[in-house]
Amino acid sequence: EHPFICIVPANLIADTLKSLDNFFKYIGVDIILKAEELFINRIDFCTNFKCESEVVKDELLRIARKGRAPKKSYIKTIYSEKGKREIEPTNSFTIKSKANSYEFTIYDKHSELTSSDFGYDDDEIKLSENQLRIEFRIKNNFVNRLKKKNKLSILDFMCSTADFSKQYIEKYIE
């Protein structure tokens, strides 16, 4: 979908690194990929939640928008030309850390796909109807804290992303 983004299931991370190493050798780049030398700028944990109807989806999003930001974070707003002020978007709810180490977002997947210039195919757009997308994006400093706290190498951390995804998405939904 996007040329510089690769979505890799946690159980395939080690194999993916080997494939990248083979690719670099194939094109003549003499590089040895070592997991500990990799730099993770951002990891997105995400899940889709299919609602029974548009009414249910809208109600869940409305309830989410009533949420409060934890300490050291804030709720993301957008500027309204009409109201000449900052407002919360109607199709999403985002909490960002003030230190820019994480972002938690719930949004209407269908609205995102239909308003995008990317050109998603009709099947994907149809599948996104009544669907909420929940994402927890963590930046490098958050990744490093989790690695240190759990005494994980970078490769072990990357292979544990499914566990962290479940833990943190559930935490921020509460």
Side-chain angles (χ1 to χ4, degrees):
E1 201 174 287
H2 300 284
F4 303 109
I5 295 175
C6 179
I7 298 173
V8 179
N11 62 329
L12 297 177
I13 298 245
D15 292 338
T16 301
L17 291 175
K18 288 177 194 165
S19 296
L20 279 171
D21 195 39
N22 290 336
F23 170 75
F24 284 125
K25 286 177 186 167
Y26 175 77
I27 63 171
V29 176
D30 189 21
I31 187 172
I32 298 171
L33 284 179
K34 295 179 184 160
E36 288 308 313
E37 294 175 355
L38 295 177
F39 177 82
I40 297 174
N41 187 51
R42 184 177 110 180
I43 292 181
D44 292 8
F45 302 135
C46 58
T47 189
N48 293 322
F49 183 77
K50 190 72 166 178
C51 301
E52 296 172 11
S53 66
E54 186 174 356
V55 172
V56 171
K57 177 200 62 163
D58 291 344
E59 182 64 11
L60 288 173
L61 200 50
R62 186 187 68 75
I63 291 168
R65 285 196 315 270
K66 288 182 176 248
R68 294 189 176 171
K71 105 176 142 173
K72 297 185 181 177
S73 64
Y74 63 95
I75 295 172
K76 185 178 176 182
T77 58
I78 57 173
Y79 183 75
S80 166
E81 287 292 333
K82 184 178 178 182
K84 304 290 184 206
R85 62 186 174 96
E86 293 287 323
I87 61 168
E88 291 181 31
T90 56
N91 291 329
S92 67
F93 173 74
T94 300
I95 296 171
K96 293 180 82 167
S97 76
K98 290 181 180 175
N100 199 28
S101 60
Y102 72 85
E103 198 171 293
F104 177 79
T105 302
I106 299 175
Y107 61 90
D108 179 343
K109 184 70 174 173
H110 187 70
S111 291
E112 186 226 351
L113 295 186
T114 55
S115 65
S116 171
D117 292 335
F118 181 71
Y120 293 96
D121 64 52
D122 292 340
D123 290 338
E124 192 168 3
I125 291 172
K126 179 81 173 145
L127 188 64
S128 72
E129 289 177 356
N130 302 325
Q131 190 175 70
L132 290 175
R133 175 74 163 209
I134 303 167
E135 296 182 1
F136 185 68
R137 302 177 198 107
I138 61 174
K139 303 282 180 78
N140 180 267
N141 52 355
F142 198 106
V143 169
N144 289 336
R145 273 194 311 237
L146 285 176
K147 280 181 8 197
K148 187 175 181 178
K149 177 182 174 184
N150 294 283
K151 298 180 174 89
L152 295 172
S153 69
I154 189 74
L155 186 57
D156 289 337
F157 173 80
M158 291 178 0
C159 291
S160 302
T161 54
D163 297 329
F164 288 116
S165 176
K166 183 177 181 348
Q167 176 186 347
Y168 282 94
I169 285 177
E170 285 177 358
K171 175 183 175 180
Y172 281 90
I173 284 178
E174 287 177 5

